[in-house]
């Protein structure tokens, strides 16, 4: 009697799943991207941290707080002049830019692109060239070299495009149907602009205010050419101090104070409005 033999069943071994490499291409790209961002952050922030650290030093065991107390007592007038010049410049820029931006966006006329390019020309001209041009103009035409308003108008000339550009962006993002609806409901052109247009372009206006304030508050090159005698802004005071006496801890404390004021303005803007109106498409 022959025993039944079960047929052999072929067995197949399931191959083990391939182990993923610990560092694939995508992960390597992410690591390098984050490393690049941190490297840029360190490169840009390190000079400010070095200045901040130097402002807390002092000869002869001077306490760090005394450097900043000296800023308030000896450089307070310079900071006030910088804030005053900045405020007056912002007022002039707003008064000129609001109607100019509205006309550029809402009206159609020949040469609009060329006009906008000419109005933004100061953005592409070096500060030294603007300063020399203003010196010639003020000396031979307007005689404003001894007036505070000469410096204010010079700052307005250099920063006017920074106010105009965000307003143009904001107005292009605002559909005209809002204005048409308000006029259909009986609003006048002024009421429409004041109650509809101006609130809706508020973030663009605030972006222009921020950009102009940062530039004017920290500008020294144009100020060097056209400032009247007896008027020294904080950036110009820092420049004069470094040129004559080197970088002392008190001068470093003044520079840190200026940077903290600018940084506080930027943080306030980001807190209230974000970054939408500081970027955007090209305009016309």
């Amino acid at each position: 009697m022959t025993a039944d033999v079960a047929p052999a069943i072929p067995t197949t071994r399931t191959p083990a799943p391939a182990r993923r490499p610990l560092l694939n291409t995508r992960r390597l790209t992410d690591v390098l991207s984050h490393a690049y961002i941190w490297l840029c952050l360190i490169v840009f922030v390190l000079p400010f941290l070095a200045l901040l650290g130097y402002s807390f030093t002092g000869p002869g065991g001077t306490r760090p707080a005394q450097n900043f107390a000296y800023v308030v007592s000896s450089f307070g007038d310079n900071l006030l002049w910088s804030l005053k010049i900045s405020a007056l410049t912002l007022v002039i820029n707003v008064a000129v830019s609001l109607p100019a931006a509205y006309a550029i966006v809402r009206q159609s006329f020949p040469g609009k692109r060329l006009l906008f390019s000419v109005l933004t020309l100061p953005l592409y001209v070096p500060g030294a060239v603007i300063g020399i041009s203003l010196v010639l103009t003020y000396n031979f035409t307007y005689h404003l070299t001894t007036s505070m308003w000469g410096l204010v108008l010079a700052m307005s000339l250099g920063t006017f495009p920074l106010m105009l550009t965000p307003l143009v962006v904001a107005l292009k993002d605002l559909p005209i149907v809002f204005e048409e609806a308000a006029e259909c409901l009986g609003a006048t052109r002024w009421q429409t602009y004041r109650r509809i247009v101006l609130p809706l372009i508020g973030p663009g206006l605030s972006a222009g205010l921020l950009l102009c304030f940062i530039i004017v508050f920290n500008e020294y090159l144009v100020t060097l050419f056209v400032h009247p005698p007896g008027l020294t802004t904080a950036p110009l005071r820092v420049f004069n101090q470094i040129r004559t006496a080197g970088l002392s801890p008190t001068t470093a404390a003044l520079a840190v104070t200026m940077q903290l004021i600018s940084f506080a303005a930027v943080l306030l803007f980001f807190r209230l409005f974000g970054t939408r109106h500081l970027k955007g498409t090209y305009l016309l």
Side-chain angles (χ1 to χ4, degrees):
M1 181 175 179
T2 305
D4 294 335
V5 179
I9 301 175
T11 58
T12 57
R13 298 182 60 186
T14 304
R19 298 182 62 184
R20 294 183 179 180
L22 295 178
L23 195 62
N24 55 24
T25 305
R26 183 175 181 180
R27 185 173 299 178
L28 179 61
T29 303
D30 292 341
V31 170
L32 292 177
S33 300
H34 283 82
Y36 176 75
I37 293 173
W38 279 102
L39 177 63
C40 292
L41 181 64
I42 292 173
V43 169
F44 287 117
V45 174
L46 190 60
F48 177 76
L49 294 179
L51 184 67
L52 179 64
Y54 187 68
S55 67
F56 282 101
T57 64
T62 304
R63 290 181 300 175
Q66 291 182 353
N67 293 333
F68 290 91
Y70 186 77
V71 168
V72 176
S73 61
S74 297
F75 300 121
D77 290 341
N78 306 119
L79 286 172
L80 289 177
W81 272 120
S82 293
L83 292 173
K84 186 176 181 179
I85 296 297
S86 300
L88 293 174
T89 302
L90 293 181
V91 170
I92 293 176
N93 283 347
V94 169
V96 176
S97 299
L98 282 174
Y102 191 84
I104 288 174
V105 175
R106 292 291 188 248
Q107 304 298 324
S108 297
F109 53 89
K112 182 165 69 171
R113 294 176 181 271
L114 178 61
L115 174 62
F116 184 78
S117 300
V118 172
L119 290 176
T120 57
L121 187 62
L123 292 178
Y124 316 111
V125 178
V129 175
I130 295 178
I132 295 173
S133 303
L134 289 172
V135 167
L136 295 175
T137 304
Y138 285 179
N139 282 334
F140 298 107
T141 305
Y142 299 114
H143 307 290
L144 291 173
T145 52
T146 59
S147 171
M148 175 197 69
W149 289 104
L151 180 57
V152 172
L153 293 175
M155 293 298 178
S156 299
L157 173 67
T159 58
F160 164 74
L162 297 176
M163 181 71 71
L164 179 67
T165 302
L167 287 174
V168 171
V169 173
L171 281 167
K172 284 187 69 66
D173 289 341
L174 179 64
I176 198 172
V177 293
F178 289 95
E179 300 172 55
E180 294 173 346
E183 292 178 4
C184 289
L185 294 174
T188 63
R189 297 293 295 271
W190 169 242
Q191 289 174 333
T192 301
Y193 187 83
R194 182 170 58 90
R195 296 186 179 183
I196 305 297
V197 176
L198 195 57
L200 292 177
I201 66 172
L205 176 62
S206 62
L209 290 172
L210 172 68
L211 294 172
C212 290
F213 174 79
I214 296 299
I215 297 298
V216 174
F217 185 75
N218 295 284
E219 174 62 39
Y220 84 93
L221 186 56
V222 175
T223 309
L224 184 64
F225 283 94
V226 298
H227 77 97
L231 193 161
T232 304
T233 60
L236 188 59
R237 182 69 180 272
V238 170
F239 174 77
N240 292 335
Q241 289 286 111
I242 294 176
R243 186 180 60 175
T244 57
L247 182 59
S248 63
T250 53
T251 305
L254 174 59
V256 168
T257 303
M258 293 172 51
Q259 291 301 308
L260 290 177
I261 293 175
S262 301
F263 190 55
V266 173
L267 287 181
L268 180 63
F269 175 84
F270 286 164
R271 178 69 176 175
L272 295 177
F273 302 106
T275 62
R276 177 170 176 258
H277 289 271
L278 288 178
K279 56 188 178 182
T281 57
Y282 196 65
L283 310 172
L284 299 178

